[in-house]
Structure formats: C-alpha cells, structure tokens
C-alpha cells in the first residue's frame, strides 16, 4: 500500500491518496521517502498524516515515530519522543533497549539515536544512584563525629555524653533504615548504572518509596517534648529534592546531526 500511495501522488492521482495513514503505513511511506529521497513529493499531505503525532508517538510499540519524525523534519516530535524514551526504556540481559512491553527497538532508526538514548539513560541512572550512595558515604565517613546535629537546648538535660549517645543512635537508625531500604530495592550493596535494567521512571518511583526511620521525639516522664530534639531533617531533608533536580536536568539525546538532517528536510534540500 505504501508504494501505491507514492505512485498515486507521482501520477497525479490525488483523489485516491488517503487523507489519513495508520502508524505502519506512515512508517512505510517514511522508509520509501528516505530511500528514494522524495520527501517533497508527499509534503502536501504531511499535515493531515501527522495531525495526531503528539499523542500517537508516545504509544508503546510506536517508537519508530523517531524515524518518521526524522525523515519528515518533525523536530518537536523527535525531541519530545527521544527525551521520553530516555526515561521509559529499560534494557534486557544483552543490554539492548526494550520498551515497557519488553519489545526491542526495531529498525530503521536514525543513526546514533538509540545508542545516545542509552548513553543518556546510563548517565542519568548513575547520577540518581550517586545521590543515594553519597548519603551512605556521608554516614560511613563520620567515624569521629555524627551526622545528626540535634542537641538539647534545655539545661535539665545538657550532659555532653548523653547528647553524643543520642546522636549516634540517630545516625544508626537513619543509616540502617536507608541501607535496608536500598537492599529491598536491589540497590545495596552498591550497584553500577550498567547493573540497572529497569527504566529511569521505575527507578525514581522506587526511590521515592524509601522510608527513612528517624529517632523518635524525646519526651520526659510528664510527656513534655524537649525543644531542639526534632530529628526530621537528619541527613535526608533534601534527598527527594536532589532526585527531582537530577530528573529535571537529564539532557536531550538528540545529536546535532539529527537536527541538521531534519532542518534540511524542512528546507527541501
């Protein structure tokens, strides 16, 4: 059918050229247009053929919208889809990119895009893991001090040794709950980014399920809470913020060669 579409256009049979094309048909047209360098031939129909691209390109199994967008110069679609795939793709046992259904990325694809998506994915996962492991290192390196800085501010309980013991208890509880939580997620002992097969989205969601246990509030025999004994921020006050910042700063996997090709397609060169 896809070859017939091009032939009908080439022979001026415009009345029987379909106004809409399904994903597979549009992909077939893109393959032929790339092979025979005839994008200009179909340009008058691209507006209707791609009118739902903003939705269709994100359907699982439609990853070759990358190729369609690349051939027809759809820069915005190419950029948004490639960035989305950085976050959604996982890898199989052979290190190949797979979608949510476990399907591998099919050819054809623009040269270098899948490889760069995986490279950006690996770098982002490494950054996410570093946020977590930096916290572990912070506690492990505190051999002569404590991460917990909470102290008693009232004269009735101001013994230095008691304060120090309390801080050590706080460190032990928070460090222990973090390592156990990471172990349950398969992230402890420490993992390298290459050992993480799940997607960035799945990894980030699992990290957000971590429950960091902190030292309970201290109360006297009358049930009164001592001021200054709140351990809510001990070691982890900005952990989620750092995770979100890392996710927000994932770079685009689009290469200059991809952009140049799409702009040339749009200019008719």
């Amino acid at each position: 059918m896809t070859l017939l579409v091009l032939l009908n256009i080439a022979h001026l049979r415009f009345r029987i050229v379909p106004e809409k094309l399904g994903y597979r048909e549009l992909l077939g047209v893109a393959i032929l247009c790339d092979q025979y360098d005839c994008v200009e031939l179909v340009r008058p129909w691209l507006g209707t053929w791609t009118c739902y691209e903003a939705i269709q390109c994100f359907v699982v199994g439609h990853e070759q919208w990358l190729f369609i967008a690349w051939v027809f110069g759809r820069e915005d679609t190419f950029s948004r889809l490639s960035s989305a795939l950085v976050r959604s793709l996982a890898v199989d046992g052979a290190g190949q990119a797979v979608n949510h259904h476990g399907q591998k990325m099919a050819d054809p694809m623009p040269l270098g895009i899948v490889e760069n998506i995986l490279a950006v994915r690996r770098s982002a996962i490494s950054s996410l893991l570093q946020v977590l492991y930096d916290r572990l290192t912070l506690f492990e390196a505190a051999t002569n001090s404590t991460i917990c800085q909470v102290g008693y501010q009232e004269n009735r309980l101001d013994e230095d040794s008691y304060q120090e013991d309390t801080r050590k208890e706080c460190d032990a509880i928070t460090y222990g709950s973090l390592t156990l939580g990471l172990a349950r997620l398969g992230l402890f002992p420490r993992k390298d980014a290459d050992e993480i097969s799940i997607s960035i989205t799945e990894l980030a969601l699992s990290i957000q399920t971590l429950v960091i246990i902190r030292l309970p509030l201290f109360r006297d025999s009358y049930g009164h809470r001592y001021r200054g004994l709140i351990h809510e921020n001990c070691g982890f006050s900005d952990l989620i913020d750092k995770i979100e910042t890392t996710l927000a700063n994932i770079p685009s996997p689009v290469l200059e060669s991809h952009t140049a090709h799409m702009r040339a397609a749009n200019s008719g060169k």
Side-chain angles (χ1 to χ4, degrees):
M1 176 184 175
T2 53
L3 179 57
L4 183 60
V5 170
L6 294 185
L7 290 175
N8 284 330
I9 294 174
H11 290 87
L12 308 181
R13 298 170 183 164
F14 301 145
R15 293 176 60 185
I16 57 177
V17 175
E19 293 183 3
K20 297 181 180 180
L21 290 178
Y23 167 66
R24 291 297 172 190
E25 290 75 22
L26 185 57
L27 176 60
V29 170
I31 291 171
L32 291 176
C33 286
D34 180 59
Q35 182 177 353
Y36 296 109
D37 192 18
C38 59
V39 172
E40 288 305 304
L41 183 67
V42 302
R43 189 169 299 282
W45 287 269
L46 288 180
T48 55
W49 289 349
T50 62
C51 63
Y52 298 112
E53 64 184 318
I55 298 173
Q56 292 175 343
C57 72
F58 295 113
V59 175
V60 177
H62 288 189
E63 291 78 21
Q64 282 178 288
W65 258 103
L66 282 176
F67 185 78
I68 296 171
W70 178 77
V71 170
F72 295 135
R74 319 294 288 186
E75 287 188 58
D76 184 61
T77 295
F78 189 87
S79 176
R80 291 190 300 114
L81 178 56
S82 60
S83 292
L85 290 174
V86 168
R87 292 164 172 75
S88 65
L89 289 181
V91 295
D92 61 14
Q96 300 295 309
V98 294
N99 64 23
H100 185 65
H101 294 160
Q103 302 166 327
K104 294 182 180 179
M105 299 298 96
D107 288 325
M109 280 286 187
L111 184 64
I113 187 60
V114 175
E115 293 82 359
N116 211 42
I117 285 173
L118 289 178
V120 174
R121 172 189 175 275
R122 185 193 184 283
S123 177
I125 288 176
S126 180
S127 296
L128 288 171
L129 294 177
Q130 194 64 45
V131 170
L132 297 171
Y133 298 151
D134 280 350
R135 297 309 166 101
L136 290 180
T137 301
L138 188 67
F139 282 94
E140 293 164 352
T143 55
N144 297 318
S145 61
T146 59
I147 302 304
C148 174
Q149 296 299 312
V150 174
Y152 296 121
Q153 298 178 355
E154 299 192 358
N155 293 330
R156 47 185 170 178
L157 282 176
D158 60 352
E159 300 176 10
D160 291 341
S161 62
Y162 191 84
Q163 293 181 41
E164 183 66 19
D165 287 345
T166 302
R167 292 185 183 121
K168 288 179 180 179
E169 289 177 13
C170 178
D171 279 8
I173 290 173
T174 52
Y175 176 77
S177 65
L178 177 60
T179 53
L180 285 174
L182 291 176
R184 293 186 181 110
L185 296 177
L187 300 177
F188 188 84
R190 286 172 167 83
K191 302 290 184 182
D192 184 76
D194 290 330
E195 299 177 85
I196 306 300
S197 61
I198 61 176
S199 70
I200 289 175
T201 298
E202 291 176 283
L203 177 61
L205 288 174
S206 66
I207 291 172
Q208 292 173 358
T209 67
L210 283 172
V211 177
I212 308 301
I213 301 173
R214 297 174 175 83
L215 194 68
L217 295 174
F218 186 85
R219 298 178 184 274
D220 62 17
S221 58
Y222 299 100
H224 299 139
R225 189 182 72 186
Y226 286 105
R227 293 192 303 271
L229 302 181
I230 300 175
H231 293 263
E232 293 177 355
N233 297 324
C234 289
F236 298 94
S237 60
D238 61 345
L239 182 62
I240 297 301
D241 287 343
K242 285 185 176 293
I243 295 296
E244 291 177 351
T245 298
T246 300
L247 293 173
N249 290 322
I250 297 175
S252 170
V254 178
L255 300 173
E256 289 185 10
S257 59
H258 299 139
T259 301
H261 180 279
M262 289 184 285
R263 290 181 180 173
N266 283 325
S267 67
K269 296 181 180 179

